[in-house]
Amino acid sequence: MRRLAVFGAEGATGRALVARAAAAGHPLRASERRFRDRAALPGGVEAVEADVLADDLRPVLRGVDAVVSCLGVPNDARTLLDPPPLYVEGTARIVEAMQAEGVGRIVVISAAFVAASRGPLLFRRAVIPSLTRVLDQMRGMEALLRVSGLGWTAVRPGWLMEGEATG
């Protein structure tokens, strides 16, 4: 089993990932800027508070084999128009800490629309423009990973929704 560090562990995707990885027996270190409910984490999961934009992330990554970044922004108009720099600056800081700690593998969540504009015409004209700044950051994040020297994977879902796993 690989010891994993999960950033964004309390978001919808992070919670699902932590639950599944813990159930599969992976030792986990869950990280969040500020935990709202540490007790909701599965037993045995280590919780570490760290702000990816401000804190030293090396202690979060010390002794882990790989990183999974579930960092994301809320889906509200104000945030989408002026998103915090989580994808580029946050990922750059995670990469720096990974390199300092000798961690060689990262998985990040990106979006299908980073690679190409997909979906029905109405969707591309109505929704994609509101996501432009977030998608630009995701593109920047992927560009950063390409030159990082790390083994990396960008998961590019079309949309993430809470609910039962569909397989």
Side-chain angles (χ1 to χ4, degrees), residues 40-58:
L41 291 171
V45 174
E46 179 186 0
V48 178
E49 289 188 345
D51 181 340
V52 297
L53 297 176
D55 294 336
D56 181 1
L57 302 178
R58 290 174 300 173

Side-chain angles (χ1 to χ4, degrees), residues 78-131:
R78 194 169 123 215
T79 304
L80 294 176
L81 290 173
D82 188 22
L86 288 176
Y87 295 106
V88 175
E89 287 181 37
T91 302
R93 297 189 82 249
I94 291 169
V95 165
E96 271 181 26
M98 289 176 67
Q99 291 167 334
E101 291 298 320
V103 180
R105 184 86 180 120
I106 184 170
V107 176
V108 298
I109 297 175
S110 188
F113 310 108
V114 166
S117 292
R118 297 185 180 131
L121 180 61
L122 179 61
F123 180 81
R124 290 193 316 256
R125 293 198 190 259
V127 177
I128 296 297
S130 66
L131 299 175

